[in-house]
Amino acid sequence: MKAGQKLWTRDELILTMNLYWRIEFGKYHKGHPEVKRLAELIGRTPSAVALKLGNLASFDPSLKERGIKGASNASKLDREIWNEFYENPDILPYESEKLRAKFEGKTIEELNEIDLNSLPKLGKEREAIVKIRVNQNLFRQAVLQSYSGACCISGISNTELLIAGHIIPWAMDEKQRLNPRNGLLMNSLHDKAYENGLITIRPDYVILVSSELKSDEQVWSRDYFAKYDGQKIRTPNRFSPQPEFLEQHYQERFRK
């Protein structure tokens, strides 16, 4: 460490890891508004935050699969925070949002734009609902940014029409609920078809359409489904879908 430099704290790294999830890979630069904002909150320079984001990228397995190494000077604590995010998906991502709210001087509900009128007044039920909504919001941001805000099948980029869906359903595997590699960004029609096994995506990212849909000779079936059969999805810039998750959907849920 150079003279005059200060060690990064655990809280600073948790907030930086939180930001890693929330902005698009390739935009981890000192001029990004979110990088500048975090730098202001933690008393670092935007360049230092951008460099730390690059350090965290060096641990990302989905980037390594594409031959992207990230920065080479990550610390032991950098790795510990990265591992904690993925080994404790029901704890640290949510805690990172609570920490961000504290640094921003807001409540976690305000930060995540949760309608207070829709929540119970007090108690564990309220806390549980807030946690679920915050986690869902963070998962959506991670998946949305990974696919550059466009449906992986159709390319639709209107965020109001996009769903950050789960490959392994939310109810089936609690540990994978917040894993962004368990996510796919699709428009609401294709998301529903995937959920019901009418389409699938193989581990090689090839789209398959069920025989039920392909045999339907109506124009909508051809235009919205059959024409994508055998094509590859638009691959994400990071957090690529876990191959074994895709295989599980193909084998167990696809209505061939």
Side-chain angles (χ1 to χ4, degrees):
M1 187 173 64
K2 296 180 181 178
Q5 287 184 329
K6 61 177 181 177
L7 291 172
W8 281 71
T9 67
R10 176 180 171 82
D11 283 355
E12 290 171 347
L13 286 173
I14 290 174
L15 288 170
T16 307
M17 187 66 205
N18 174 284
L19 182 60
Y20 184 87
W21 276 41
R22 294 187 297 103
I23 63 175
E24 186 177 342
F25 179 74
K27 296 185 178 180
Y28 300 152
H29 55 75
K30 64 182 180 181
H32 193 289
E34 291 281 1
V35 171
K36 293 165 72 174
R37 178 57 181 162
L38 178 57
E40 179 184 354
L41 288 174
I42 65 176
R44 298 275 180 179
T45 66
S47 294
V49 172
L51 180 60
K52 187 58 69 175
L53 287 166
N55 290 346
L56 293 171
S58 68
F59 305 122
D60 193 326
S62 65
L63 296 182
K64 290 179 181 179
E65 290 166 6
R66 295 166 51 200
I68 300 173
K69 297 181 179 179
S72 59
N73 56 342
S75 70
K76 180 180 178 182
L77 186 56
D78 293 345
R79 179 178 288 279
E80 288 177 4
I81 296 300
W82 175 277
N83 288 340
E84 279 192 56
F85 253 74
Y86 287 94
E87 292 170 3
N88 301 284
D90 59 333
I91 299 175
L92 204 58
Y94 177 67
E95 291 301 318
S96 75
E97 281 292 276
K98 288 175 65 176
L99 188 61
R100 187 162 74 97
K102 178 182 176 181
F103 272 69
E104 289 280 6
K106 299 179 179 180
T107 66
I108 195 168
E109 294 88 349
E110 288 175 319
L111 190 68
N112 284 267
E113 299 180 351
I114 297 173
D115 181 10
L116 299 180
N117 293 323
S118 67
L119 298 173
K121 294 297 182 182
L122 295 170
K124 291 184 177 181
E125 183 184 1
R126 177 190 176 100
E127 184 179 353
I129 292 173
V130 169
K131 184 176 181 180
I132 288 172
R133 292 187 186 175
V134 169
N135 283 343
Q136 289 174 334
N137 185 40
L138 190 57
F139 176 83
R140 175 177 169 80
Q141 289 183 66
V143 175
L144 192 69
Q145 296 302 329
S146 295
Y147 287 86
S148 302
C151 170
C152 70
I153 293 179
S154 66
I156 288 174
S157 57
N158 185 320
T159 55
E160 293 183 62
L161 300 176
L162 297 176
I163 305 291
H166 291 77
I167 303 170
I168 299 177
W170 174 276
M172 284 182 62
D173 192 337
E174 184 175 343
K175 189 174 182 180
Q176 302 303 335
R177 286 178 178 178
L178 286 188
N179 182 354
R181 299 195 71 185
N182 187 36
L184 290 166
L185 189 69
M186 297 183 187
N187 66 77
S188 54
L189 177 63
H190 287 136
D191 174 75
K192 191 67 174 179
Y194 187 83
E195 182 182 337
N196 286 285
L198 290 167
I199 61 174
T200 195
I201 298 167
R202 293 192 320 222
D204 59 0
Y205 302 150
V206 170
I207 304 161
L208 297 179
V209 178
S210 73
S211 56
E212 294 176 51
L213 289 178
K214 285 192 293 185
S215 63
D216 194 317
E217 296 181 355
Q218 296 187 65
V219 173
W220 65 265
S221 181
R222 182 183 67 245
D223 289 351
Y224 298 130
F225 293 102
K227 75 175 185 179
Y228 295 111
D229 189 51
Q231 293 189 20
K232 284 198 171 186
I233 65 168
R234 292 166 168 81
T235 52
N237 56 60
R238 58 162 186 192
F239 296 144
S240 54
Q242 200 88 11
E244 54 266 38
F245 297 166
L246 295 174
E247 180 68 18
Q248 182 175 330
H249 183 277
Y250 171 61
Q251 295 293 344
E252 299 179 8
R253 301 177 62 203
F254 181 49
R255 290 149 62 176
K256 299 178 178 64

